[in-house]
Amino acid sequence: MIKLKDTLFRPTVMLLISLAITLLFALFVIVLIKGEKQRSVLIYDTPVIFPFVLFIFDRLKRLNETSFKQKCIDGLVLPVAIARAILPVPLVSGHALFLTYAILSVRLTLARYVAILVIFEVIYFKVTGHDLTVVGGIALGLTMALVFRKFSHNSSNLFISDGRG
């Protein structure tokens, strides 16, 4: 008998679910937002949904392996990154913060690669828009990821991977 957990955490399943949620978000944006704001949200905000869902999969898969202190760090980083979308957090790009943190703290290879692809898009838009908050976001994301790794049971390798997805 195949367990739901075994099926849910297969790389193909995680990829398809993440893609479906990202596409649903894009559909809601198309239906609910009009004009230039719609274009902006579709091009800049929607892609980060994909690595965010994969990040959640990574954390759920390792729920029992993650220390309380690591969960607290997640609890600091995610609200700041998400709040940045609606509140003026000076000097920090929420996208860059989250993506840098994800790249350096997830163990799912798939999640890391998707986050790397999306951060290139973020860097491109920030640099071409003369928005230096990308530097603050990357610096804070790096710092928080290093703190996260400090509280890991196996902090010797920054890019630990489970080899699956």
Side-chain angles (χ1 to χ4, degrees), residues 4-121:
L4 176 62
K5 184 177 179 182
D6 294 335
T7 302
L8 188 62
F9 293 116
R10 288 185 180 166
T12 306
V13 173
M14 291 185 293
L15 183 69
L16 290 173
I17 290 172
S18 299
L19 181 60
I21 291 172
T22 303
L23 291 174
L24 276 172
F25 180 82
L27 182 63
F28 282 119
V29 169
I30 290 168
V31 169
L32 299 174
I33 302 174
K34 300 298 177 202
E36 185 60 32
K37 180 71 173 170
Q38 179 191 70
R39 183 176 176 273
S40 171
V41 172
L42 284 173
I43 292 172
Y44 183 71
D45 294 322
T46 302
V48 81
I49 301 297
F50 202 166
F52 181 78
V53 176
L54 289 169
F55 176 89
I56 298 301
F57 272 118
D58 180 81
R59 291 309 197 254
L60 289 174
K61 184 174 183 178
R62 289 175 180 71
L63 195 59
N64 295 328
E65 300 169 27
T66 308
S67 73
F68 175 75
K69 290 177 181 178
Q70 288 176 308
K71 289 173 183 149
C72 289
I73 295 165
D74 282 350
L76 292 171
V77 171
L78 295 180
V80 170
I82 293 168
R84 180 57 176 87
I86 54 176
L87 299 172
V89 177
L91 308 176
V92 175
S93 159
H95 285 62
L97 165 61
F98 166 72
L99 292 165
T100 303
Y101 180 71
I103 290 165
L104 298 172
S105 70
V106 296
R107 289 182 61 189
L108 287 171
T109 305
L110 176 64
R112 183 174 303 121
Y113 289 157
V114 170
I116 289 169
L117 288 174
V118 175
I119 202 165
F120 282 129
E121 180 206 24

